[in-house]
């Protein structure tokens, strides 16, 4: 064991000495590996950030959720369907929500919600215009990503009776209360008093500029309906969200059950087509996966050529190094050096050269993090660092094995 450790130490020591003696040649040799590692790890880091940013932008849609709506989110599968027929479809109703909530057995949660925008929120002398009020049923926090920083979500009684309680977005709470603690205070929305029971985590800007929760007031669905019950303007249009179980791959079971129940509730005959749409956020995820796969493939394609050039450069320089040190190799053998010691000495030199190039490439990738933004925060993960070092080691072994065998 001690002999092996000593052998490795002496091999690295010899390799470092050889690299120092030809510093310019060393730098020129590792440029190819540096560019290759920078290309692939840089692309993968950008792709990781892109994927995380898009998922964060779409987090409000929830995971494993089906939305009942009038229109499909994409018309790709129904391109021959006359678009004007969609306007004849009835909107989802609160009674349909109650029907589905009672009858669905393949769903883990069912929620109804509605949204009204451009409202004014007031607290004492402070007022914020352009606020969005989202009214939701009790189980809405199970179908959507509701992240509460302080306080709590409304309970079943508050949701069922339409109590005037509200959970504020981070920016809305700051604008209304400034340095004051909002918990337990009352704000005014359309001349109705709401008690603040919670504050959401700050979301910030998103890559896709999707609706932010920072300027949102989340209230029970019944409260939002009562706010607009007496107005001549349009009331609250309900939207239904159905969350499936994890053991239902593709949400096939819950979708079929929901379709059958909705058709029965609306009295559709067997040969009549659906007059509703069951939409899934997975439609966006499939587009996202296609983009990410294309970018990843392009990154690997570019980086492979860069790493091939770097590998040939290192192999060439190792051949030159072997020729230059023929006399030294002879002296080492005359002093009793074994063939494997000579082989490992040159192989470790090639690996070390590639590792230095790989570290330089990773250092360049880390500089990319300085160009990140709030909606696109670039970060270099440890898994990508490990991948970069592994690729560098593999290139070193492939590029150095033949020169090392010749030296031995």
């Amino acid at each position: 064991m001690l002999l092996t450790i000593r052998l490795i130490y002496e091999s690295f020591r010899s390799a470092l000495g050889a690299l120092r003696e030809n510093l310019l040649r060393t730098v020129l040799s590792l440029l190819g590996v540096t560019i290759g590692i920078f290309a692939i790890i840089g692309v993968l880091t950008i792709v990781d950030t892109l994927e995380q940013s898009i998922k964060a932008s779409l987090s409000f849609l929830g995971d494993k959720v089906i939305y009942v709506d009038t229109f499909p989110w994409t018309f790709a599968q129904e391109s021959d369907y006359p678009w004007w027929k969609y306007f004849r479809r009835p909107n989802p109703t609160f009674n349909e929500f109650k029907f589905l909530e009672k009858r669905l057995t393949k769903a883990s949660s069912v929620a109804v919600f509605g949204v009204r925008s451009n409202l004014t929120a007031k607290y004492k002398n402070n007022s914020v215009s352009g606020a969005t009020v989202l009214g939701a049923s009790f189980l809405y926090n199970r179908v959507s990503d509701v992240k509460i920083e302080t306080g709590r979500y409304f309970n079943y009684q508050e949701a069922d009776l339409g109590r005037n309680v509200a959970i504020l977005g981070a920016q809305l709470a700051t604008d209304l209360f400034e340095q004051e603690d909002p918990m337990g205070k009352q704000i005014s929305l359309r001349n109705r008093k709401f008690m603040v029971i919670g504050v959401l985590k700050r979301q910030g800007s998103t890559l896709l500029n999707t609706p932010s929760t920072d300027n949102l007031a989340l209230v029970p669905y019944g409260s939002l309906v009562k706010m607009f019950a007496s107005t001549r303007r349009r009331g609250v249009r309900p939207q239904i969200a159905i969350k499936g179980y994890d053991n239902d791959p593709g949400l096939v079971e819950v979708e079929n059950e929901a379709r059958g129940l909705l058709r029965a509730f609306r009295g559709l005959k067997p040969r009549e087509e659906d007059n509703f749409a069951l939409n899934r956020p997975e439609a966006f995820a499939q587009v996202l996966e296609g983009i990410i796969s294309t970018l990843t493939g392009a990154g690997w394609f570019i980086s492979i050529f860069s790493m091939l050039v770097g590998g040939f450069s290192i192999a060439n320089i190792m051949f030159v190094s072997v020729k230059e040190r023929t006399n030294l190799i002879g002296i080492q053998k005359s002093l009793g050096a074994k063939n494997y010691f000579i082989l490992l000495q040159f192989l470790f030199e090639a690996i070390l050269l590639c590792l230095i190039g790989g570290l330089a490439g990773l250092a360049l990738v880390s500089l990319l993090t300085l160009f990140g933004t709030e909606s696109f925060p670039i970060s270099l993960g440890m898994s990508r660092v490990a991948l970069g070092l592994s690729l560098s080691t593999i290139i070193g072994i492939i590029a150095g094995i033949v020169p090392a065998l010749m030296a031995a």
Side-chain angles (χ1 to χ4, degrees):
M1 184 66 180
L2 290 175
L3 182 63
T4 304
I5 295 174
R6 185 177 178 183
L7 175 62
I8 294 173
Y9 171 73
E10 291 295 335
S11 299
F12 270 114
R13 184 180 173 184
S14 177
L16 280 173
L19 295 179
R20 285 198 202 99
E21 289 177 4
N22 301 282
L23 188 59
L24 180 60
R25 188 174 70 183
T26 300
V27 172
L28 293 176
S29 299
L30 59 82
L31 278 178
V33 177
T34 299
I35 294 172
I37 296 299
F38 170 72
I40 184 56
I41 303 302
V43 168
L44 292 178
T45 300
I46 295 297
V47 167
D48 289 343
T49 304
L50 178 65
E51 183 177 10
Q52 293 169 6
S53 299
I54 293 178
K55 285 183 177 179
S57 299
L58 300 176
S59 62
F60 70 97
L61 293 174
D63 182 39
K64 295 182 177 63
V65 180
I66 294 176
Y67 290 86
V68 181
D69 209 339
T70 307
F71 303 92
W73 289 351
T74 172
F75 289 83
Q77 297 179 350
E78 301 183 50
S79 57
D80 296 332
Y81 192 87
W83 63 268
W84 51 268
K85 284 190 177 182
Y86 287 106
F87 290 95
R88 296 182 179 179
R89 289 183 170 184
N91 291 324
T93 65
F94 185 78
N95 288 335
E96 286 178 337
F97 155 69
K98 298 300 290 185
F99 179 77
L100 291 174
E101 184 183 41
K102 183 178 180 181
R103 300 293 182 90
L104 277 173
T105 61
K106 304 297 183 180
S108 61
S109 305
V110 184
V112 64
F113 63 97
V115 180
R116 292 304 300 262
S117 305
N118 297 321
L119 301 182
T120 300
K122 297 180 180 179
Y123 174 71
K124 293 183 178 179
N125 295 326
N126 294 337
S127 65
V128 176
S129 59
T132 299
V133 179
L134 189 151
S137 59
F138 176 60
L139 295 180
Y140 178 76
N141 64 335
R142 296 188 183 180
V143 301
S144 185
D145 190 17
V146 179
K147 298 178 180 178
I148 297 180
E149 180 74 28
T150 57
R152 62 178 177 84
Y153 190 72
F154 36 77
N155 57 41
Y156 179 78
Q157 288 76 17
E158 291 168 338
D160 189 52
L161 299 175
R163 298 279 174 80
N164 287 355
V165 293
I167 305 169
L168 303 183
Q171 189 59 50
L172 181 59
T174 300
D175 293 341
L176 287 177
F177 295 93
E178 298 177 350
Q179 302 299 323
E180 191 175 346
D181 184 9
M183 301 303 297
K185 305 294 192 312
Q186 287 193 335
I187 65 170
S188 177
L189 294 169
R190 282 185 61 86
N191 299 320
R192 288 178 176 268
K193 298 294 183 181
F194 284 79
M195 184 178 71
V196 179
I197 60 171
V199 177
L200 298 172
K201 289 183 179 180
R202 184 173 295 276
Q203 180 181 2
S205 59
T206 58
L207 182 64
L208 300 181
N209 199 27
T210 50
S212 174
T213 60
D214 291 341
N215 205 37
L216 177 74
L218 179 61
V219 302
Y221 180 77
S223 303
L224 182 64
V225 171
K226 286 187 287 186
M227 287 172 62
F228 293 90
S230 60
T231 182
R232 292 183 179 180
R233 299 165 58 192
R234 64 181 180 87
V236 178
R237 180 178 178 273
Q239 301 179 58
I240 303 172
I242 305 169
K243 186 176 180 65
Y245 287 105
D246 293 336
N247 60 358
D248 181 9
L251 302 180
V252 175
E253 293 182 0
V254 68
E255 181 179 4
N256 290 336
E257 186 182 27
R259 174 173 282 108
L261 289 173
L262 282 170
R263 289 181 61 86
F265 185 88
R266 295 190 175 188
L268 296 176
K269 297 178 180 179
R271 293 188 178 182
E272 289 183 298
E273 58 188 11
D274 295 342
N275 60 356
F276 54 86
L278 298 177
N279 296 313
R280 306 186 188 192
E282 282 84 353
F284 298 108
Q286 291 175 356
V287 176
L288 170 63
E289 289 176 1
I291 295 173
I292 289 175
S293 298
T294 302
L295 291 175
T296 303
W300 277 104
F301 181 78
I302 295 170
S303 62
I304 283 173
F305 281 101
S306 299
M307 288 187 287
L308 279 175
V309 172
F312 285 129
S313 176
I314 289 172
N316 181 61
I317 214 68
M318 290 304 301
F319 280 119
V320 174
S321 180
V322 170
K323 199 163 189 177
E324 288 178 347
R325 288 149 61 186
T326 302
N327 292 335
L328 179 61
I329 295 170
I331 294 172
Q332 288 177 334
K333 284 194 172 186
S334 67
L335 293 174
K338 302 294 184 182
N339 287 347
Y340 65 84
F341 177 82
I342 305 297
L343 185 144
L344 289 176
Q345 179 180 314
F346 282 90
L347 188 60
F348 284 160
E349 184 176 332
I351 294 174
L352 184 61
L353 190 64
C354 287
L355 283 175
I356 294 173
L359 289 172
L362 292 173
L364 292 176
V365 175
S366 66
L367 294 178
L368 291 176
T369 60
L370 301 177
F371 298 95
T373 62
E374 182 183 14
S375 60
F376 196 74
I378 303 174
S379 61
L380 177 60
M382 291 305 299
S383 62
R384 297 310 182 194
V385 173
L387 176 62
L389 295 178
S390 300
L391 288 174
S392 301
T393 303
I394 293 171
I395 296 170
I397 293 173
I398 295 174
I401 188 65
V402 176
L405 287 170
M406 286 182 60

